[in-house]
Amino acid sequence: MVKSGTLLETLKQQLSMDSDPPFHEAYKTLFDKTIEKKITPKNEQVVMVEECELPLIDLSRLDHGDEGEREGCKLEIARASQEWGFFQVVNHGISCEILEEMRFMQERVFKQPFDIKTKEDKYLNFSAGSYRWGTPTATCLRQLSWSEAFHIPLLDISTSPPAGFDSLSSTIGQFATTVSSLAQKLAEILAEKLGHKSTFFQEHCLPSTCYLRMNRYPPCPIPSEVFGLMPHTDSDFLTILHQDQVGGLQLVKDDKWISVKPNPEALIINIGDLFQAWSNDVYKSVQHRVVTNSLVERFSTAYFFCPSYDTVIHSCHEPSVYRKFSFREYRQQVQEDVQKLGSKIGLPRFLVQSQ
Protein backbone atom coordinates (compact mmCIF):
# COMPACT_ATOMS: atom_id res chain seq x y z
CA MET A 1 0.00 0.00 0.00
CA VAL A 2 1.24 3.48 -0.86
CA LYS A 3 1.43 5.73 2.18
CA SER A 4 -0.52 8.99 2.05
CA GLY A 5 2.66 11.01 2.52
CA THR A 6 4.28 9.27 -0.43
CA LEU A 7 1.23 9.87 -2.63
CA LEU A 8 1.14 13.51 -1.60
CA GLU A 9 4.80 14.05 -2.42
CA THR A 10 4.50 12.22 -5.75
CA LEU A 11 1.59 14.40 -6.85
CA LYS A 12 3.38 17.56 -5.83
CA GLN A 13 6.49 16.52 -7.73
CA GLN A 14 4.49 15.73 -10.87
CA LEU A 15 2.61 19.01 -10.77
CA SER A 16 5.69 21.08 -10.05
CA MET A 17 7.39 19.86 -13.21
CA ASP A 18 7.62 22.39 -16.01
CA SER A 19 4.56 22.18 -18.22
CA ASP A 20 3.50 23.98 -21.36
CA PRO A 21 1.15 25.72 -20.85
CA PRO A 22 2.17 26.46 -17.23
CA PHE A 23 -0.97 25.06 -15.57
CA HIS A 24 0.53 24.46 -12.14
CA GLU A 25 2.05 27.91 -11.90
CA ALA A 26 -1.20 29.63 -12.94
CA TYR A 27 -3.57 27.45 -10.90
CA LYS A 28 -1.31 26.51 -7.98
CA THR A 29 -3.91 27.33 -5.32
CA LEU A 30 -6.50 25.04 -6.92
CA PHE A 31 -4.02 22.18 -7.23
CA ASP A 32 -2.79 22.52 -3.67
CA LYS A 33 -6.34 22.40 -2.30
CA THR A 34 -7.04 19.19 -4.21
CA ILE A 35 -3.76 17.49 -3.32
CA GLU A 36 -4.28 18.06 0.41
CA LYS A 37 -7.63 16.23 0.22
CA LYS A 38 -6.02 13.07 -1.18
CA ILE A 39 -5.39 10.49 1.53
CA THR A 40 -4.76 7.01 0.11
CA PRO A 41 -5.39 5.32 -3.25
CA LYS A 42 -8.05 3.05 -1.72
CA ASN A 43 -10.27 6.10 -1.16
CA GLU A 44 -10.20 7.01 -4.85
CA GLN A 45 -13.10 5.72 -6.92
CA VAL A 46 -12.47 5.05 -10.60
CA VAL A 47 -15.65 5.47 -12.64
CA MET A 48 -15.62 3.19 -15.66
CA VAL A 49 -17.20 4.61 -18.80
CA GLU A 50 -18.40 2.26 -21.53
CA GLU A 51 -16.85 2.80 -24.97
CA CYS A 52 -19.14 2.82 -27.99
CA GLU A 53 -19.15 3.66 -31.68
CA LEU A 54 -21.28 6.55 -32.86
CA PRO A 55 -23.76 5.96 -35.69
CA LEU A 56 -21.62 5.74 -38.84
CA ILE A 57 -23.00 7.30 -42.04
CA ASP A 58 -21.47 6.92 -45.50
CA LEU A 59 -22.00 10.26 -47.27
CA SER A 60 -21.04 8.85 -50.68
CA ARG A 61 -24.67 7.71 -50.97
CA LEU A 62 -25.75 11.35 -51.25
CA ASP A 63 -23.83 11.82 -54.48
CA HIS A 64 -23.52 8.37 -56.02
CA GLY A 65 -26.49 6.40 -54.75
CA ASP A 66 -29.95 6.05 -56.31
CA GLU A 67 -32.92 7.99 -54.96
CA GLY A 68 -33.63 5.36 -52.30
CA GLU A 69 -30.05 5.40 -51.05
CA ARG A 70 -29.96 9.21 -50.93
CA GLU A 71 -33.20 9.33 -48.96
CA GLY A 72 -32.01 6.59 -46.64
CA CYS A 73 -28.80 8.50 -45.93
CA LYS A 74 -30.76 11.67 -45.12
CA LEU A 75 -33.06 9.78 -42.76
CA GLU A 76 -30.06 8.29 -40.94
CA ILE A 77 -28.62 11.78 -40.45
CA ALA A 78 -31.90 13.08 -39.05
CA ARG A 79 -32.45 10.02 -36.83
CA ALA A 80 -28.95 10.21 -35.33
CA SER A 81 -29.46 13.94 -34.66
CA GLN A 82 -32.68 13.17 -32.79
CA GLU A 83 -31.55 10.11 -30.85
CA TRP A 84 -27.86 10.84 -30.25
CA GLY A 85 -27.14 14.47 -31.12
CA PHE A 86 -23.88 13.00 -32.46
CA PHE A 87 -22.88 10.89 -35.45
CA GLN A 88 -19.81 10.23 -37.55
CA VAL A 89 -19.40 10.38 -41.32
CA VAL A 90 -17.03 8.80 -43.80
CA ASN A 91 -16.47 9.65 -47.48
CA HIS A 92 -16.86 13.23 -46.38
CA GLY A 93 -14.63 14.79 -49.03
CA ILE A 94 -11.50 15.47 -46.96
CA SER A 95 -8.56 13.34 -48.02
CA CYS A 96 -6.48 11.35 -45.54
CA GLU A 97 -3.50 13.41 -46.70
CA ILE A 98 -5.13 16.68 -45.59
CA LEU A 99 -6.13 15.19 -42.22
CA GLU A 100 -2.62 13.86 -41.66
CA GLU A 101 -1.09 17.19 -42.66
CA MET A 102 -3.45 19.03 -40.27
CA ARG A 103 -2.32 16.78 -37.43
CA PHE A 104 1.34 17.30 -38.33
CA MET A 105 1.00 21.09 -38.56
CA GLN A 106 -0.94 21.22 -35.28
CA GLU A 107 1.82 19.41 -33.47
CA ARG A 108 4.42 21.81 -34.87
CA VAL A 109 2.40 24.90 -33.92
CA PHE A 110 1.68 23.75 -30.38
CA LYS A 111 5.30 22.71 -29.83
CA GLN A 112 6.35 26.33 -30.15
CA PRO A 113 7.49 27.88 -26.83
CA PHE A 114 4.73 29.29 -24.66
CA ASP A 115 5.91 32.89 -25.10
CA ILE A 116 5.72 32.43 -28.88
CA LYS A 117 2.18 31.04 -28.76
CA THR A 118 0.99 33.93 -26.60
CA LYS A 119 2.31 36.34 -29.26
CA GLU A 120 0.40 34.52 -32.00
CA ASP A 121 -0.30 37.71 -33.97
CA LYS A 122 3.43 38.42 -34.24
CA TYR A 123 4.85 34.95 -34.88
CA LEU A 124 2.06 32.78 -36.29
CA ASN A 125 -0.10 35.22 -38.27
CA PHE A 126 -3.13 34.41 -36.12
CA SER A 127 -5.30 37.18 -34.66
CA ALA A 128 -4.33 38.54 -31.25
CA GLY A 129 -6.30 36.66 -28.60
CA SER A 130 -6.73 33.51 -30.68
CA TYR A 131 -4.47 31.46 -28.37
CA ARG A 132 -6.31 30.31 -25.24
CA TRP A 133 -5.49 27.87 -22.49
CA GLY A 134 -6.90 26.75 -19.15
CA THR A 135 -9.98 28.40 -17.65
CA PRO A 136 -9.43 31.89 -16.20
CA THR A 137 -12.77 31.80 -14.33
CA ALA A 138 -12.11 28.43 -12.61
CA THR A 139 -12.61 28.36 -8.83
CA CYS A 140 -11.96 24.61 -8.49
CA LEU A 141 -10.17 21.95 -10.52
CA ARG A 142 -13.45 20.57 -11.91
CA GLN A 143 -13.92 23.93 -13.68
CA LEU A 144 -10.43 23.87 -15.20
CA SER A 145 -9.89 22.67 -18.77
CA TRP A 146 -6.46 21.05 -19.18
CA SER A 147 -6.03 22.12 -22.79
CA GLU A 148 -4.77 24.82 -25.12
CA ALA A 149 -6.28 25.98 -28.39
CA PHE A 150 -6.11 28.38 -31.29
CA HIS A 151 -9.49 29.91 -32.23
CA ILE A 152 -9.23 30.87 -35.88
CA PRO A 153 -12.03 32.79 -37.69
CA LEU A 154 -12.20 31.55 -41.27
CA LEU A 155 -11.50 35.02 -42.63
CA ASP A 156 -8.26 35.06 -40.61
CA ILE A 157 -6.75 32.15 -42.48
CA SER A 158 -3.82 34.04 -43.90
CA THR A 159 -2.57 33.69 -47.45
CA SER A 160 0.92 34.55 -46.21
CA PRO A 161 2.14 31.72 -43.97
CA PRO A 162 4.39 32.43 -40.99
CA ALA A 163 8.08 31.67 -41.29
CA GLY A 164 8.75 27.95 -41.10
CA PHE A 165 5.09 27.03 -41.68
CA ASP A 166 4.84 27.27 -45.45
CA SER A 167 1.95 24.81 -45.83
CA LEU A 168 0.00 25.80 -42.69
CA SER A 169 -2.37 28.29 -44.32
CA SER A 170 -3.07 26.16 -47.39
CA THR A 171 -3.71 23.05 -45.28
CA ILE A 172 -6.07 24.85 -42.90
CA GLY A 173 -7.72 26.53 -45.87
CA GLN A 174 -8.41 23.24 -47.66
CA PHE A 175 -9.81 21.71 -44.48
CA ALA A 176 -11.99 24.76 -43.74
CA THR A 177 -13.38 25.00 -47.28
CA THR A 178 -14.46 21.37 -47.30
CA VAL A 179 -16.02 21.31 -43.82
CA SER A 180 -17.84 24.59 -44.55
CA SER A 181 -19.52 22.98 -47.57
CA LEU A 182 -20.24 19.85 -45.55
CA ALA A 183 -21.86 21.87 -42.75
CA GLN A 184 -24.13 23.66 -45.23
CA LYS A 185 -25.13 20.34 -46.81
CA LEU A 186 -25.91 18.71 -43.46
CA ALA A 187 -27.88 21.75 -42.25
CA GLU A 188 -30.01 21.72 -45.40
CA ILE A 189 -30.70 17.99 -44.97
CA LEU A 190 -31.69 18.43 -41.33
CA ALA A 191 -34.01 21.32 -42.26
CA GLU A 192 -35.52 19.27 -45.10
CA LYS A 193 -36.28 16.38 -42.75
CA LEU A 194 -38.24 18.84 -40.61
CA GLY A 195 -40.28 19.68 -43.70
CA HIS A 196 -38.61 23.05 -43.93
CA LYS A 197 -36.89 23.92 -47.21
CA SER A 198 -34.84 26.92 -46.17
CA THR A 199 -32.10 29.27 -47.33
CA PHE A 200 -31.63 30.38 -43.71
CA PHE A 201 -28.23 28.73 -43.28
CA GLN A 202 -26.85 29.97 -46.59
CA GLU A 203 -27.87 33.51 -45.67
CA HIS A 204 -26.71 33.57 -42.04
CA CYS A 205 -23.86 31.06 -41.62
CA LEU A 206 -21.04 32.55 -43.67
CA PRO A 207 -17.24 32.26 -43.67
CA SER A 208 -17.19 35.57 -41.80
CA THR A 209 -19.19 34.05 -38.91
CA CYS A 210 -17.68 30.54 -38.60
CA TYR A 211 -14.36 29.49 -37.12
CA LEU A 212 -11.94 26.63 -36.51
CA ARG A 213 -10.44 25.62 -33.20
CA MET A 214 -7.22 23.60 -33.11
CA ASN A 215 -6.94 21.81 -29.76
CA ARG A 216 -4.14 20.18 -27.83
CA TYR A 217 -4.71 18.24 -24.59
CA PRO A 218 -1.35 17.78 -22.83
CA PRO A 219 -0.68 14.78 -20.56
CA CYS A 220 -2.16 15.46 -17.12
CA PRO A 221 -0.63 14.08 -13.90
CA ILE A 222 -4.01 13.90 -12.14
CA PRO A 223 -6.48 12.80 -14.85
CA SER A 224 -9.10 11.74 -12.30
CA GLU A 225 -9.37 15.33 -11.07
CA VAL A 226 -9.16 17.50 -14.19
CA PHE A 227 -11.04 17.50 -17.49
CA GLY A 228 -9.42 18.25 -20.81
CA LEU A 229 -12.62 20.12 -21.59
CA MET A 230 -15.43 20.58 -19.08
CA PRO A 231 -18.88 19.06 -19.71
CA HIS A 232 -20.77 21.43 -22.00
CA THR A 233 -22.95 21.81 -25.05
CA ASP A 234 -21.88 23.78 -28.13
CA SER A 235 -23.31 27.26 -28.73
CA ASP A 236 -23.63 26.89 -32.50
CA PHE A 237 -25.74 25.07 -35.10
CA LEU A 238 -23.31 22.26 -35.92
CA THR A 239 -19.80 21.25 -34.94
CA ILE A 240 -17.57 19.11 -37.18
CA LEU A 241 -14.66 17.46 -35.39
CA HIS A 242 -11.64 15.48 -36.42
CA GLN A 243 -9.78 13.77 -33.58
CA ASP A 244 -6.69 11.60 -33.43
CA GLN A 245 -6.55 7.99 -32.22
CA VAL A 246 -5.91 8.81 -28.54
CA GLY A 247 -9.57 9.15 -27.62
CA GLY A 248 -11.03 11.05 -24.68
CA LEU A 249 -14.29 12.43 -26.10
CA GLN A 250 -17.30 11.41 -24.01
CA LEU A 251 -21.00 12.26 -24.30
CA VAL A 252 -24.27 11.67 -22.49
CA LYS A 253 -26.57 8.99 -23.94
CA ASP A 254 -29.62 7.70 -22.04
CA ASP A 255 -28.57 9.67 -18.95
CA LYS A 256 -25.11 8.14 -18.68
CA TRP A 257 -21.65 9.06 -19.94
CA ILE A 258 -20.22 6.99 -22.76
CA SER A 259 -16.79 7.16 -24.40
CA VAL A 260 -16.53 7.63 -28.17
CA LYS A 261 -14.31 5.10 -29.90
CA PRO A 262 -11.88 6.99 -32.19
CA ASN A 263 -12.16 6.47 -35.95
CA PRO A 264 -9.32 8.32 -37.72
CA GLU A 265 -11.08 8.11 -41.09
CA ALA A 266 -14.31 9.70 -39.84
CA LEU A 267 -15.46 13.18 -38.96
CA ILE A 268 -17.67 13.56 -35.91
CA ILE A 269 -20.77 15.76 -36.24
CA ASN A 270 -22.71 17.10 -33.28
CA ILE A 271 -25.81 19.22 -32.97
CA GLY A 272 -25.39 22.60 -31.24
CA ASP A 273 -27.79 24.58 -29.05
CA LEU A 274 -28.96 26.79 -31.90
CA PHE A 275 -30.12 23.82 -33.99
CA GLN A 276 -31.96 22.37 -31.00
CA ALA A 277 -33.80 25.68 -30.59
CA TRP A 278 -34.39 26.10 -34.34
CA SER A 279 -35.75 22.53 -34.61
CA ASN A 280 -37.99 23.06 -31.57
CA ASP A 281 -36.22 20.31 -29.59
CA VAL A 282 -36.39 17.71 -32.39
CA TYR A 283 -32.60 17.61 -32.75
CA LYS A 284 -30.60 17.30 -29.54
CA SER A 285 -27.61 19.29 -28.35
CA VAL A 286 -26.13 16.92 -25.77
CA GLN A 287 -23.56 17.34 -23.03
CA HIS A 288 -20.06 16.20 -23.93
CA ARG A 289 -16.58 16.51 -22.45
CA VAL A 290 -12.96 15.52 -22.98
CA VAL A 291 -11.14 13.51 -20.30
CA THR A 292 -7.41 13.82 -19.78
CA ASN A 293 -4.71 11.21 -20.22
CA SER A 294 -1.71 10.88 -17.91
CA LEU A 295 0.64 9.54 -20.58
CA VAL A 296 -0.07 10.95 -24.03
CA GLU A 297 -1.22 14.20 -25.59
CA ARG A 298 -4.33 14.44 -27.76
CA PHE A 299 -5.02 16.64 -30.78
CA SER A 300 -8.27 17.57 -32.49
CA THR A 301 -9.65 20.20 -34.86
CA ALA A 302 -13.21 21.48 -34.60
CA TYR A 303 -15.23 23.60 -37.03
CA PHE A 304 -18.08 25.66 -35.57
CA PHE A 305 -21.03 26.46 -37.86
CA CYS A 306 -22.24 29.78 -36.46
CA PRO A 307 -24.49 32.63 -37.63
CA SER A 308 -23.79 36.35 -37.35
CA TYR A 309 -24.35 37.89 -33.92
CA ASP A 310 -27.45 39.74 -35.15
CA THR A 311 -29.15 36.58 -36.44
CA VAL A 312 -32.43 35.88 -34.64
CA ILE A 313 -33.00 32.25 -33.69
CA HIS A 314 -36.58 31.07 -33.62
CA SER A 315 -38.30 27.75 -34.04
CA CYS A 316 -39.27 26.58 -37.53
CA HIS A 317 -42.49 25.19 -35.97
CA GLU A 318 -45.09 26.47 -33.53
CA PRO A 319 -45.83 26.45 -30.66
CA SER A 320 -42.22 27.22 -29.90
CA VAL A 321 -40.42 25.73 -26.89
CA TYR A 322 -38.03 28.70 -26.81
CA ARG A 323 -38.53 32.43 -27.14
CA LYS A 324 -36.83 34.26 -29.97
CA PHE A 325 -33.29 35.40 -29.24
CA SER A 326 -30.32 36.72 -31.15
CA PHE A 327 -27.04 34.86 -31.27
CA ARG A 328 -25.44 37.87 -29.56
CA GLU A 329 -27.93 37.66 -26.69
CA TYR A 330 -27.31 33.94 -26.32
CA ARG A 331 -23.52 34.35 -26.24
CA GLN A 332 -23.75 37.15 -23.70
CA GLN A 333 -26.01 35.08 -21.42
CA VAL A 334 -23.62 32.11 -21.61
CA GLN A 335 -20.62 34.30 -20.77
CA GLU A 336 -22.48 35.90 -17.87
CA ASP A 337 -23.46 32.52 -16.41
CA VAL A 338 -19.92 31.14 -16.73
CA GLN A 339 -18.49 34.18 -14.95
CA LYS A 340 -21.07 34.11 -12.14
CA LEU A 341 -21.73 30.39 -11.74
CA GLY A 342 -18.63 28.73 -13.17
CA SER A 343 -20.58 26.86 -15.85
CA LYS A 344 -22.97 27.39 -18.74
CA ILE A 345 -26.76 27.16 -18.37
CA GLY A 346 -27.59 27.48 -22.06
CA LEU A 347 -31.01 26.86 -23.61
CA PRO A 348 -33.02 26.53 -20.35
CA ARG A 349 -32.52 30.29 -19.96
CA PHE A 350 -34.62 30.82 -23.10
CA LEU A 351 -37.58 28.51 -22.49
CA VAL A 352 -40.92 30.21 -23.16
CA GLN A 353 -42.24 29.36 -19.67
CA SER A 354 -39.15 30.96 -18.07
CA GLN A 355 -40.16 34.43 -19.27
Side-chain angles (χ1 to χ4, degrees), residues 39 100 116 120 135 141 150 162 166 172 193 235 248 298 320 328-329 331 346 355:
I39 303 175
E100 290 172 2
I116 295 292
E120 66 275 49
T135 310
L141 282 190
F150 285 100
D166 294 342
I172 294 177
K193 292 297 105 182
S235 301
R298 174 182 182 266
S320 178
R328 175 180 284 106
E329 181 184 2
R331 294 268 298 183
Q355 290 182 288

Side-chain angles (χ1 to χ4, degrees), residues 200-201 203-206 208-210 237 274 305-313 325-329 331:
F200 176 88
F201 301 103
E203 295 170 357
H204 297 285
C205 298
L206 308 171
S208 58
T209 64
C210 302
F237 278 107
L274 302 188
F305 190 56
C306 301
S308 66
Y309 282 156
D310 293 329
T311 300
V312 175
I313 311 301
F325 56 87
S326 70
F327 186 39
R328 175 180 284 106
E329 181 184 2
R331 294 268 298 183

Side-chain angles (χ1 to χ4, degrees), residues 213-254:
R213 188 175 71 203
M214 298 193 302
N215 305 299
R216 174 181 175 257
Y217 301 89
C220 177
I222 47 172
S224 63
E225 302 294 332
V226 185
F227 290 116
L229 201 59
M230 280 179 57
H232 67 287
T233 58
D234 289 349
S235 301
D236 61 357
F237 278 107
L238 291 170
T239 303
I240 300 178
L241 175 79
H242 183 257
Q243 63 170 347
D244 62 19
Q245 299 182 30
V246 172
L249 175 64
Q250 298 181 345
L251 60 92
V252 173
K253 180 73 167 71
D254 299 328

Side-chain angles (χ1 to χ4, degrees), residues 11 18 20 33 88 121 127 180 226 241 257 266 269 339 352:
L11 285 171
D18 292 338
D20 184 2
K33 287 180 181 178
Q88 55 186 341
D121 55 327
S127 295
S180 295
V226 185
L241 175 79
W257 286 101
I269 317 294
Q339 290 174 355
V352 168

